[in-house]
PDB file of all heavy atoms in Angstrom:
ATOM      1  N   ASP B 239      82.464 -42.981  -3.030  1.00 52.00           N
ATOM      2  CA  ASP B 239      81.897 -42.313  -4.239  1.00 52.00           C
ATOM      3  C   ASP B 239      82.917 -41.373  -4.839  1.00 52.00           C
ATOM      4  O   ASP B 239      82.733 -40.943  -6.006  1.00 52.00           O
ATOM      5  CB  ASP B 239      80.603 -41.532  -3.862  1.00 52.00           C
ATOM      6  CG  ASP B 239      80.856 -40.509  -2.888  1.00 52.00           C
ATOM      7  OD1 ASP B 239      81.688 -40.638  -1.995  1.00 52.00           O
ATOM      8  OD2 ASP B 239      80.217 -39.438  -3.022  1.00 52.00           O
ATOM      9  N   MET B 282      73.366 -30.372   0.399  1.00 97.00           N
ATOM     10  CA  MET B 282      74.619 -30.990   0.855  1.00 97.00           C
ATOM     11  C   MET B 282      75.689 -30.028   0.997  1.00 97.00           C
ATOM     12  O   MET B 282      75.767 -29.066   0.237  1.00 97.00           O
ATOM     13  CB  MET B 282      75.017 -32.083  -0.126  1.00 97.00           C
ATOM     14  CG  MET B 282      74.478 -33.491   0.182  1.00 97.00           C
ATOM     15  SD  MET B 282      75.256 -34.695  -0.869  1.00 97.00           S
ATOM     16  CE  MET B 282      74.549 -34.343  -2.361  1.00 97.00           C
ATOM     17  N   ARG B 289      81.146 -34.182   2.544  1.00 94.00           N
ATOM     18  CA  ARG B 289      79.727 -33.809   2.058  1.00 94.00           C
ATOM     19  C   ARG B 289      78.631 -34.276   2.956  1.00 94.00           C
ATOM     20  O   ARG B 289      77.924 -35.314   2.747  1.00 94.00           O
ATOM     21  CB  ARG B 289      79.562 -34.535   0.647  1.00 94.00           C
ATOM     22  CG  ARG B 289      80.239 -33.776  -0.405  1.00 94.00           C
ATOM     23  CD  ARG B 289      79.649 -34.190  -1.776  1.00 94.00           C
ATOM     24  NE  ARG B 289      80.196 -35.505  -2.215  1.00 94.00           N
ATOM     25  CZ  ARG B 289      81.278 -35.612  -2.841  1.00 94.00           C
ATOM     26  NH1 ARG B 289      82.070 -34.617  -3.210  1.00 94.00           N
ATOM     27  NH2 ARG B 289      81.722 -36.873  -3.194  1.00 94.00           N
ATOM     28  N   LEU B 385      81.258 -33.121  -6.988  1.00 95.00           N
ATOM     29  CA  LEU B 385      80.117 -33.869  -7.539  1.00 95.00           C
ATOM     30  C   LEU B 385      79.999 -33.592  -9.032  1.00 95.00           C
ATOM     31  O   LEU B 385      79.394 -34.443  -9.722  1.00 95.00           O
ATOM     32  CB  LEU B 385      78.841 -33.539  -6.803  1.00 95.00           C
ATOM     33  CG  LEU B 385      78.762 -34.101  -5.414  1.00 95.00           C
ATOM     34  CD1 LEU B 385      77.474 -33.580  -4.745  1.00 95.00           C
ATOM     35  CD2 LEU B 385      78.808 -35.547  -5.337  1.00 95.00           C
ATOM     36  N   LEU B 609      72.775 -45.248 -10.893  1.00 93.00           N
ATOM     37  CA  LEU B 609      72.145 -43.990 -11.407  1.00 93.00           C
ATOM     38  C   LEU B 609      72.440 -43.852 -12.941  1.00 93.00           C
ATOM     39  O   LEU B 609      73.365 -44.377 -13.453  1.00 93.00           O
ATOM     40  CB  LEU B 609      72.906 -42.848 -10.701  1.00 93.00           C
ATOM     41  CG  LEU B 609      72.560 -42.471  -9.312  1.00 93.00           C
ATOM     42  CD1 LEU B 609      73.397 -41.275  -8.782  1.00 93.00           C
ATOM     43  CD2 LEU B 609      71.095 -42.045  -9.153  1.00 93.00           C
ATOM     44  N   PRO B 716      75.455 -32.952  -9.756  1.00 97.00           N
ATOM     45  CA  PRO B 716      74.966 -34.271  -9.876  1.00 97.00           C
ATOM     46  C   PRO B 716      74.740 -35.003  -8.577  1.00 97.00           C
ATOM     47  O   PRO B 716      75.303 -34.555  -7.444  1.00 97.00           O
ATOM     48  CB  PRO B 716      76.050 -34.976 -10.640  1.00 97.00           C
ATOM     49  CG  PRO B 716      76.619 -33.844 -11.503  1.00 97.00           C
ATOM     50  CD  PRO B 716      76.633 -32.686 -10.593  1.00 97.00           C
ATOM     51  N   LEU B 717      73.920 -35.920  -8.533  1.00 96.00           N
ATOM     52  CA  LEU B 717      73.464 -36.630  -7.250  1.00 96.00           C
ATOM     53  C   LEU B 717      74.563 -37.434  -6.637  1.00 96.00           C
ATOM     54  O   LEU B 717      75.546 -37.843  -7.278  1.00 96.00           O
ATOM     55  CB  LEU B 717      72.214 -37.522  -7.586  1.00 96.00           C
ATOM     56  CG  LEU B 717      70.988 -36.841  -8.219  1.00 96.00           C
ATOM     57  CD1 LEU B 717      70.085 -37.913  -8.707  1.00 96.00           C
ATOM     58  CD2 LEU B 717      70.416 -35.923  -7.231  1.00 96.00           C
ATOM     59  N   ALA B 718      74.371 -37.710  -5.351  1.00 92.00           N
ATOM     60  CA  ALA B 718      75.373 -38.424  -4.627  1.00 92.00           C
ATOM     61  C   ALA B 718      74.673 -39.587  -3.920  1.00 92.00           C
ATOM     62  O   ALA B 718      73.605 -39.447  -3.364  1.00 92.00           O
ATOM     63  CB  ALA B 718      76.126 -37.603  -3.644  1.00 92.00           C
ATOM     64  N   VAL B 719      75.340 -40.819  -3.942  1.00 91.00           N
ATOM     65  CA  VAL B 719      74.749 -41.946  -3.277  1.00 91.00           C
ATOM     66  C   VAL B 719      75.557 -42.222  -1.996  1.00 91.00           C
ATOM     67  O   VAL B 719      76.804 -42.274  -2.043  1.00 91.00           O
ATOM     68  CB  VAL B 719      74.813 -43.220  -4.120  1.00 91.00           C
ATOM     69  CG1 VAL B 719      74.241 -44.384  -3.348  1.00 91.00           C
ATOM     70  CG2 VAL B 719      73.956 -42.995  -5.390  1.00 91.00           C
ATOM     71  N   VAL B 720      74.889 -42.134  -0.891  1.00 89.00           N
ATOM     72  CA  VAL B 720      75.540 -42.487   0.412  1.00 89.00           C
ATOM     73  C   VAL B 720      74.674 -43.449   1.225  1.00 89.00           C
ATOM     74  O   VAL B 720      73.488 -43.145   1.450  1.00 89.00           O
ATOM     75  CB  VAL B 720      75.755 -41.168   1.267  1.00 89.00           C
ATOM     76  CG1 VAL B 720      76.501 -41.444   2.560  1.00 89.00           C
ATOM     77  CG2 VAL B 720      76.489 -40.106   0.433  1.00 89.00           C
ATOM     78  N   LYS B 723      71.307 -44.476  -0.148  1.00 91.00           N
ATOM     79  CA  LYS B 723      70.251 -43.506  -0.434  1.00 91.00           C
ATOM     80  C   LYS B 723      70.855 -42.543  -1.420  1.00 91.00           C
ATOM     81  O   LYS B 723      72.075 -42.293  -1.451  1.00 91.00           O
ATOM     82  CB  LYS B 723      69.911 -42.720   0.814  1.00 91.00           C
ATOM     83  CG  LYS B 723      69.122 -43.561   1.847  1.00 91.00           C
ATOM     84  CD  LYS B 723      68.857 -42.618   3.072  1.00 91.00           C
ATOM     85  CE  LYS B 723      68.388 -43.422   4.280  1.00 91.00           C
ATOM     86  NZ  LYS B 723      68.437 -42.622   5.521  1.00 91.00           N
ATOM     87  N   ILE B 724      69.983 -41.893  -2.152  1.00 95.00           N
ATOM     88  CA  ILE B 724      70.409 -40.853  -3.227  1.00 95.00           C
ATOM     89  C   ILE B 724      70.155 -39.490  -2.593  1.00 95.00           C
ATOM     90  O   ILE B 724      69.012 -39.134  -2.212  1.00 95.00           O
ATOM     91  CB  ILE B 724      69.603 -41.056  -4.496  1.00 95.00           C
ATOM     92  CG1 ILE B 724      69.830 -42.481  -5.063  1.00 95.00           C
ATOM     93  CG2 ILE B 724      70.035 -39.971  -5.499  1.00 95.00           C
ATOM     94  CD1 ILE B 724      68.840 -42.884  -6.144  1.00 95.00           C
ATOM     95  N   PHE B 725      71.224 -38.706  -2.469  1.00 96.00           N
ATOM     96  CA  PHE B 725      71.074 -37.300  -1.902  1.00 96.00           C
ATOM     97  C   PHE B 725      71.227 -36.254  -3.005  1.00 96.00           C
ATOM     98  O   PHE B 725      71.919 -36.467  -4.034  1.00 96.00           O
ATOM     99  CB  PHE B 725      72.076 -37.116  -0.867  1.00 96.00           C
ATOM    100  CG  PHE B 725      71.806 -37.920   0.426  1.00 96.00           C
ATOM    101  CD1 PHE B 725      72.197 -39.197   0.611  1.00 96.00           C
ATOM    102  CD2 PHE B 725      71.066 -37.336   1.441  1.00 96.00           C
ATOM    103  CE1 PHE B 725      71.910 -39.926   1.729  1.00 96.00           C
ATOM    104  CE2 PHE B 725      70.694 -38.023   2.605  1.00 96.00           C
ATOM    105  CZ  PHE B 725      71.104 -39.275   2.734  1.00 96.00           C
ATOM    106  N   ILE B 726      70.682 -35.126  -2.733  1.00 97.00           N
ATOM    107  CA  ILE B 726      70.680 -34.041  -3.703  1.00 97.00           C
ATOM    108  C   ILE B 726      71.386 -32.835  -3.141  1.00 97.00           C
ATOM    109  O   ILE B 726      71.346 -32.527  -1.962  1.00 97.00           O
ATOM    110  CB  ILE B 726      69.249 -33.700  -4.171  1.00 97.00           C
ATOM    111  CG1 ILE B 726      69.308 -32.648  -5.297  1.00 97.00           C
ATOM    112  CG2 ILE B 726      68.438 -33.012  -2.993  1.00 97.00           C
ATOM    113  CD1 ILE B 726      67.932 -32.331  -5.983  1.00 97.00           C
TER     114      ILE B 726
END
Side-chain angles (χ1 to χ4, degrees):
Chain B
D239 62 323
M282 269 190 288
R289 285 198 283 274
L385 291 173
L609 284 176
L717 302 170
V719 178
V720 183
K723 292 180 194 164
I724 302 165
F725 287 88
I726 187 170

